[in-house]
Amino acid sequence: MKTEIQFIQGDITRLICDAIVNAANRTLLGGGGVDGAIHRAAGPELLEECKSLGGCETGQAKITKGYQLPVSAIIHTVGPVWHGGKYQEEELLVACYRNSLACAQTQHLKTVAFPSISTGAYRFPIRKAAAIAVGTVKKFLEENPDAFEKVIFVLFSERDLEIYQNIL
Ligand code: APR
């Protein structure tokens, strides 16, 4: 079964699917951007569960319930901050996508949505990040053909949507 890859523009907190991925920071205690939007929409119980996780290393992923969001789970991953590309940033961004998918696969979650990890406050160049995101997800799906029904990239701007769509 071929897994569908979709690109849409919108607010990931409005998406109805099995799991959404959060572009968090190492404390997992919330922040701005998509992290802030997810915590606001999920409600205060999300922060309570996050407090019990003891943080998350860059490139790793940890899972919580979805609470008031229309999803079963939220997968929190910590993207690399861009420092010019000589500090394993690319490898760490690959790890974010792989570890998030592995986390979802373990929990038998079949539809997973990603924001554009690290391309906001963490300043990762969007075209480079998009190529890594799409390439890493495609490779994981080829290696695990029956793991997922659909993977959705949810871009916040029209510009980001066009960049991601042009990768394929
Ligand atoms: N839905 C989808 N995408 C969103 C949303 C949303 N509601 N809000 C923002 N985005 C997009 C941004 O436009 C950007 O393209 O998510 C992408 C990632 O940007 P950030 O949220 O800034 O995440 P990141 O660059 O990974 O920086 C993470 O920012 O919010 C803090 O706590 C977070 O410290 C961490 C850092």
Side-chain angles (χ1 to χ4, degrees), residues 19-166:
I20 62 169
V21 176
N22 180 23
N25 61 56
R26 293 176 61 236
T27 71
L28 292 186
L29 300 180
V34 69
D35 194 9
I38 287 173
H39 274 271
R40 272 193 303 281
E45 292 167 293
L46 172 59
L47 183 56
E48 286 317 301
E49 183 175 1
C50 284
K51 283 177 183 169
S52 71
L53 296 178
C56 184
E57 284 309 309
T58 301
Q60 298 302 309
K62 291 192 176 179
I63 193 166
T64 67
K65 298 186 199 73
Y67 298 105
Q68 293 168 35
L69 284 171
V71 299
S72 306
I74 303 166
I75 294 167
H76 305 263
T77 192
V78 180
V81 178
W82 180 257
H83 290 297
K86 295 187 174 44
Y87 297 89
Q88 309 288 318
E89 294 99 320
E90 297 194 24
E91 291 83 352
L92 286 166
L93 190 59
V94 168
C96 284
Y97 285 95
R98 290 192 70 83
N99 287 325
S100 297
L101 288 172
C103 211
Q105 182 180 22
T106 308
Q107 302 296 319
H108 308 294
L109 300 165
K110 296 295 179 190
T111 55
V112 182
F114 284 98
S116 181
I117 300 168
S118 279
T119 62
Y122 283 2
R123 301 188 323 281
F124 204 113
I126 178 83
R127 283 172 181 73
K128 200 183 279 283
I132 289 169
V134 177
T136 303
V137 167
K138 281 186 69 179
K139 186 164 183 289
F140 190 99
L141 297 179
E142 284 157 14
E143 294 163 355
N144 303 274
D146 300 324
F148 299 101
E149 286 164 17
K150 190 178 343 180
V151 176
I152 309 154
F153 288 97
V154 183
L155 288 317
F156 210 40
S157 70
E158 175 69 36
R159 170 186 172 271
D160 290 359
L161 174 66
E162 282 167 18
I163 289 169
Y164 270 73
Q165 285 175 322
N166 291 336

